[in-house]
Amino acid sequence: MLDWLELVRAASKLPGVLRIALIGSLVTDEPDPKDVDMLVTVTDETDLAPLAKLGRKVQGHAQGFNRGGEVFLADPQGNYLGRTCPWKRCGPGIRASCDALHSDVVDRSGRCHPRGRRHYLHDDLEAICLSKDLIAAPPLELWPEVVARVPIPEDVEKAPTK
């Protein structure tokens, strides 16, 4: 399951990507983790299409081993945005089975931000919503610097992230 390293390397070069972290079962002592869950902090201007493409590539490879993975997104203020879209063609009304809300987000000052209308943002916030605590302090930050907040499994610790 080292394809996640490719995602980290490639995503770290994308404009607007501020931080990449590993969350979920891969950073626990679970003997057979089933998925790779990444948390990527992005600016409002970040084009999510290349990040979604990387996520689909990693997920497709993982599915060949009966595994999975997700790319979760947060903004620089620590708000959960959603996940990258799993479809090659993304946007409101393209797929009847899409459960993304495509909703505007209202911040504390009452300003409305059309984040849900970003292509390749799967904002299914009624299904999944990461906590602010997890976003602020994920178990393992991989980029721009490595920060471990939990004991890291040996195979993950030995993987080169640069």
Side-chain angles (χ1 to χ4, degrees), residues 77-143:
Q77 292 74 40
N79 298 305
Y80 177 63
L81 300 175
R83 300 176 282 168
T84 57
C85 180
W87 306 105
K88 282 185 181 181
R89 290 187 58 227
C90 178
I94 292 177
R95 297 192 177 276
S97 62
C98 180
D99 62 349
L101 299 174
H102 303 292
S103 60
D104 293 340
V105 176
V106 179
D107 67 19
R108 291 183 189 149
S109 68
R111 290 180 301 180
C112 188
H113 302 277
R115 290 188 178 134
R117 294 195 181 115
R118 288 173 77 177
H119 285 299
Y120 297 99
L121 174 60
H122 188 157
D123 62 341
D124 59 338
L125 305 179
E126 293 176 357
I128 297 175
C129 194
L130 300 185
S131 73
K132 278 198 156 277
D133 290 341
L134 178 61
I135 292 169
L140 178 59
E141 292 182 37
L142 299 169
W143 185 86

Side-chain angles (χ1 to χ4, degrees), residues 5 22 28 53 83 108 111 120 140 149 156:
L5 285 173
L22 192 59
T28 68
K53 183 177 182 178
R83 300 176 282 168
R108 291 183 189 149
R111 290 180 301 180
Y120 297 99
L140 178 59
R149 295 183 177 87
V156 173

